[in-house]
Protein backbone atom coordinates (compact mmCIF):
# COMPACT_ATOMS: atom_id res chain seq x y z
CA UNK A 1 0.00 0.00 0.00
CA UNK A 2 1.37 3.38 -1.01
CA UNK A 3 2.22 5.70 1.86
CA UNK A 4 3.15 9.36 1.48
CA UNK A 5 5.01 11.28 4.17
CA UNK A 6 5.69 14.98 4.41
CA UNK A 7 8.32 16.40 6.69
CA UNK A 8 8.26 18.73 8.51
CA UNK A 9 4.61 18.91 9.57
CA UNK A 10 5.02 22.64 10.20
CA UNK A 11 7.58 25.23 9.24
CA UNK A 12 7.94 28.90 10.15
CA UNK A 13 10.49 31.11 8.39
CA UNK A 14 11.10 34.84 7.93
CA UNK A 15 10.08 36.53 4.72
CA UNK A 16 12.58 36.40 1.90
CA UNK A 17 14.10 33.02 2.71
CA UNK A 18 14.36 30.21 0.22
CA UNK A 19 12.91 26.99 1.56
CA UNK A 20 12.41 23.34 0.74
CA UNK A 21 9.45 21.12 1.55
CA UNK A 22 9.91 17.37 1.43
CA UNK A 23 7.68 14.53 0.29
CA UNK A 24 8.51 10.82 0.31
CA UNK A 25 6.55 7.85 -0.97
CA UNK A 26 7.03 4.12 -0.40
CA UNK A 27 6.12 2.68 -3.82
CA UNK A 28 8.19 4.08 -6.69
CA UNK A 29 5.73 2.79 -9.34
CA UNK A 30 3.91 6.09 -9.74
CA UNK A 31 2.29 7.77 -12.74
CA UNK A 32 2.65 11.32 -11.50
CA UNK A 33 3.18 13.44 -8.41
CA UNK A 34 1.28 16.61 -7.68
CA UNK A 35 1.87 19.47 -5.26
CA UNK A 36 -1.13 21.37 -3.95
CA UNK A 37 -1.66 24.40 -1.80
CA UNK A 38 -4.52 24.66 0.70
CA UNK A 39 -5.51 27.87 2.46
CA UNK A 40 -7.52 27.60 5.71
CA UNK A 41 -11.14 26.68 5.05
CA UNK A 42 -10.54 26.39 1.32
CA UNK A 43 -10.12 23.72 -1.30
CA UNK A 44 -6.87 22.56 -2.84
CA UNK A 45 -5.14 24.47 -5.60
CA UNK A 46 -2.85 22.57 -7.95
CA UNK A 47 0.65 24.07 -8.00
CA UNK A 48 2.81 21.68 -9.98
CA UNK A 49 2.43 18.27 -11.54
CA UNK A 50 5.42 16.07 -12.42
CA UNK A 51 5.01 13.07 -14.68
CA UNK A 52 6.99 9.97 -13.68
CA UNK A 53 9.28 10.45 -16.69
CA UNK A 54 10.16 14.00 -15.64
CA UNK A 55 12.71 15.20 -13.11
CA UNK A 56 11.36 18.65 -12.32
CA UNK A 57 8.76 21.31 -13.04
CA UNK A 58 8.89 25.04 -12.48
CA UNK A 59 6.23 27.70 -12.08
CA UNK A 60 7.34 31.17 -11.10
CA UNK A 61 9.10 30.99 -7.73
CA UNK A 62 8.21 27.32 -7.30
CA UNK A 63 10.31 24.38 -8.42
CA UNK A 64 9.39 20.77 -7.81
CA UNK A 65 11.78 17.89 -8.32
CA UNK A 66 11.15 14.17 -8.48
CA UNK A 67 13.51 11.29 -7.77
CA UNK A 68 11.29 8.31 -8.43
CA UNK A 69 13.90 5.66 -7.67
CA UNK A 70 14.45 6.98 -4.16
CA UNK A 71 10.78 7.82 -3.62
CA UNK A 72 11.30 11.52 -2.99
CA UNK A 73 10.09 14.88 -4.18
CA UNK A 74 10.96 18.37 -3.02
CA UNK A 75 9.14 21.65 -3.46
CA UNK A 76 11.50 24.62 -3.52
CA UNK A 77 10.04 28.06 -2.84
CA UNK A 78 12.30 30.99 -3.67
CA UNK A 79 12.17 34.39 -1.95
CA UNK A 80 9.25 33.45 0.28
CA UNK A 81 6.45 35.95 0.92
CA UNK A 82 3.74 36.17 3.61
CA UNK A 83 1.21 35.26 0.93
CA UNK A 84 2.90 31.86 0.61
CA UNK A 85 1.62 30.93 4.06
CA UNK A 86 -0.60 27.88 3.61
CA UNK A 87 -0.56 24.11 3.91
CA UNK A 88 1.28 22.35 1.11
CA UNK A 89 0.27 18.82 0.18
CA UNK A 90 1.86 16.31 -2.12
CA UNK A 91 0.03 13.39 -3.68
CA UNK A 92 0.95 10.51 -5.96
CA UNK A 93 -1.03 8.60 -8.53
CA UNK A 94 -0.30 5.10 -9.75
CA UNK A 95 -2.09 4.99 -13.10
CA UNK A 96 -3.20 7.08 -16.05
CA UNK A 97 -6.92 7.76 -16.26
CA UNK A 98 -8.72 7.87 -12.94
CA UNK A 99 -6.30 9.67 -10.60
CA UNK A 100 -6.73 7.86 -7.32
CA UNK A 101 -4.37 10.12 -5.43
CA UNK A 102 -2.67 9.13 -2.19
CA UNK A 103 -1.94 12.23 -0.14
CA UNK A 104 0.61 13.15 2.46
CA UNK A 105 -0.65 14.97 5.51
CA UNK A 106 0.90 18.24 4.47
CA UNK A 107 3.36 20.83 5.69
CA UNK A 108 1.85 23.92 7.31
CA UNK A 109 4.03 26.83 6.22
CA UNK A 110 4.09 30.22 7.92
CA UNK A 111 6.08 33.10 6.43
CA UNK A 112 6.71 35.84 8.98
CA UNK A 113 6.93 39.46 7.76
CA UNK B 1 -11.59 28.69 -11.44
CA UNK B 2 -12.01 25.04 -12.39
CA UNK B 3 -15.80 25.31 -12.59
CA UNK B 4 -16.66 23.07 -9.65
CA UNK B 5 -19.52 23.81 -7.28
CA UNK B 6 -20.26 21.85 -4.13
CA UNK B 7 -23.51 22.05 -2.22
CA UNK B 8 -24.32 22.46 0.53
CA UNK B 9 -21.14 24.09 1.78
CA UNK B 10 -22.10 23.55 5.41
CA UNK B 11 -24.54 21.09 6.96
CA UNK B 12 -25.36 19.99 10.47
CA UNK B 13 -27.43 16.86 10.83
CA UNK B 14 -28.30 14.21 13.37
CA UNK B 15 -27.14 10.63 13.60
CA UNK B 16 -29.24 8.29 11.49
CA UNK B 17 -30.47 10.83 8.98
CA UNK B 18 -29.69 10.58 5.26
CA UNK B 19 -27.45 13.22 3.71
CA UNK B 20 -26.64 13.96 0.07
CA UNK B 21 -23.80 16.16 -1.07
CA UNK B 22 -23.74 17.41 -4.63
CA UNK B 23 -20.82 18.20 -6.91
CA UNK B 24 -21.47 20.07 -10.15
CA UNK B 25 -18.86 20.76 -12.83
CA UNK B 26 -19.02 22.89 -15.94
CA UNK B 27 -15.73 21.77 -17.50
CA UNK B 28 -16.74 18.45 -19.09
CA UNK B 29 -14.12 16.45 -17.19
CA UNK B 30 -14.50 12.71 -17.50
CA UNK B 31 -13.45 11.76 -13.96
CA UNK B 32 -15.00 12.93 -10.71
CA UNK B 33 -13.97 12.08 -7.16
CA UNK B 34 -15.12 12.44 -3.57
CA UNK B 35 -12.48 12.80 -0.85
CA UNK B 36 -12.81 13.39 2.86
CA UNK B 37 -10.28 15.34 4.91
CA UNK B 38 -9.76 14.65 8.60
CA UNK B 39 -7.08 15.75 11.06
CA UNK B 40 -4.50 13.02 11.42
CA UNK B 41 -5.64 11.21 8.28
CA UNK B 42 -5.26 13.78 5.55
CA UNK B 43 -7.30 13.40 2.38
CA UNK B 44 -8.70 9.97 1.57
CA UNK B 45 -10.61 8.84 -1.50
CA UNK B 46 -14.20 7.72 -0.88
CA UNK B 47 -15.54 6.97 -4.39
CA UNK B 48 -14.81 8.05 -7.90
CA UNK B 49 -16.52 8.02 -11.29
CA UNK B 50 -15.05 7.39 -14.73
CA UNK B 51 -18.19 8.19 -16.69
CA UNK B 52 -21.96 8.45 -16.51
CA UNK B 53 -23.26 5.58 -14.37
CA UNK B 54 -19.68 4.26 -13.95
CA UNK B 55 -18.37 4.45 -10.40
CA UNK B 56 -15.94 2.59 -8.19
CA UNK B 57 -14.88 2.46 -4.55
CA UNK B 58 -11.97 4.24 -3.01
CA UNK B 59 -10.08 3.68 0.21
CA UNK B 60 -12.88 4.60 2.68
CA UNK B 61 -16.14 3.76 0.91
CA UNK B 62 -18.04 2.02 3.73
CA UNK B 63 -21.20 3.93 4.65
CA UNK B 64 -21.21 5.95 1.42
CA UNK B 65 -22.84 5.56 -1.96
CA UNK B 66 -22.52 7.65 -5.11
CA UNK B 67 -24.37 8.27 -8.32
CA UNK B 68 -23.60 9.99 -11.59
CA UNK B 69 -26.56 10.30 -13.92
CA UNK B 70 -25.11 13.20 -15.91
CA UNK B 71 -21.55 14.14 -16.85
CA UNK B 72 -21.70 17.29 -14.77
CA UNK B 73 -23.16 15.94 -11.50
CA UNK B 74 -21.70 13.54 -8.94
CA UNK B 75 -23.70 12.87 -5.78
CA UNK B 76 -22.38 11.47 -2.51
CA UNK B 77 -24.98 9.94 -0.19
CA UNK B 78 -24.69 8.95 3.42
CA UNK B 79 -27.69 6.63 3.88
CA UNK B 80 -27.61 6.89 7.66
CA UNK B 81 -25.12 9.44 8.93
CA UNK B 82 -22.86 8.60 11.88
CA UNK B 83 -20.64 10.83 14.00
CA UNK B 84 -17.56 9.27 12.41
CA UNK B 85 -18.66 10.80 9.12
CA UNK B 86 -18.22 14.31 10.49
CA UNK B 87 -15.64 15.67 8.10
CA UNK B 88 -14.87 18.07 5.29
CA UNK B 89 -15.78 16.55 1.93
CA UNK B 90 -14.07 17.61 -1.27
CA UNK B 91 -15.10 16.94 -4.81
CA UNK B 92 -12.43 16.84 -7.50
CA UNK B 93 -12.39 16.50 -11.28
CA UNK B 94 -9.86 15.47 -13.91
CA UNK B 95 -9.63 14.10 -17.41
CA UNK B 96 -10.02 17.06 -19.71
CA UNK B 97 -6.24 16.89 -20.13
CA UNK B 98 -5.99 13.12 -20.05
CA UNK B 99 -2.23 12.83 -20.34
CA UNK B 100 -1.29 14.82 -17.28
CA UNK B 101 -4.07 13.77 -14.92
CA UNK B 102 -4.15 17.10 -13.14
CA UNK B 103 -6.88 17.31 -10.49
CA UNK B 104 -9.01 20.34 -9.66
CA UNK B 105 -10.80 20.60 -6.34
CA UNK B 106 -13.99 22.21 -5.14
CA UNK B 107 -14.20 24.44 -2.07
CA UNK B 108 -15.40 21.66 0.22
CA UNK B 109 -18.54 20.76 2.17
CA UNK B 110 -18.28 20.74 5.93
CA UNK B 111 -20.57 18.12 7.47
CA UNK B 112 -21.24 17.82 11.18
CA UNK B 113 -23.15 14.79 12.45
CA UNK B 114 -24.44 15.24 15.99
Amino acid sequence: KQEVTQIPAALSVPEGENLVLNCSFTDSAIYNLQWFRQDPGKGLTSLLLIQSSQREQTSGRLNASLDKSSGRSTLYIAASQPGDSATYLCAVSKIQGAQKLVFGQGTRLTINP
Amino acid sequence: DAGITQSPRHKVTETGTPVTLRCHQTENHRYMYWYRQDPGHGLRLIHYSYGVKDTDKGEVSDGYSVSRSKTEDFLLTLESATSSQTSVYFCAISGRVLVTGELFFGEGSRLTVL
Side-chain angles (χ1 to χ4, degrees), chain A residues 56-111:
Chain A
E56 65 178 327
Q57 283 285 340
T58 298
S59 176
R61 295 182 293 108
L62 305 180
N63 175 276
S65 68
L66 174 64
D67 184 342
K68 201 173 72 163
S69 61
S70 68
R72 294 181 182 179
S73 177
T74 61
L75 179 66
Y76 175 83
I77 302 177
S80 58
Q81 304 170 357
D84 295 330
S85 298
T87 296
Y88 291 80
L89 297 140
C90 73
V92 296
S93 168
K94 193 174 179 66
I95 59 171
Q96 191 178 11
Q99 297 294 292
K100 296 185 285 184
L101 295 183
V102 177
F103 281 84
Q105 294 203 33
T107 294
R108 188 173 68 254
L109 176 65
T110 302
I111 308 297

Side-chain angles (χ1 to χ4, degrees), chain A residues 2 91-103, chain B residues 33 35 45 47-48 56-59 94 103:
Chain A
Q2 178 73 274
V92 296
S93 168
K94 193 174 179 66
I95 59 171
Q96 191 178 11
Q99 297 294 292
K100 296 185 285 184
L101 295 183
V102 177
F103 281 84
Chain B
Y33 314 81
Y35 284 86
L45 181 64
H47 281 281
Y48 66 98
D56 205 350
K57 296 178 180 180
E59 179 186 357
S94 73
L103 255 72

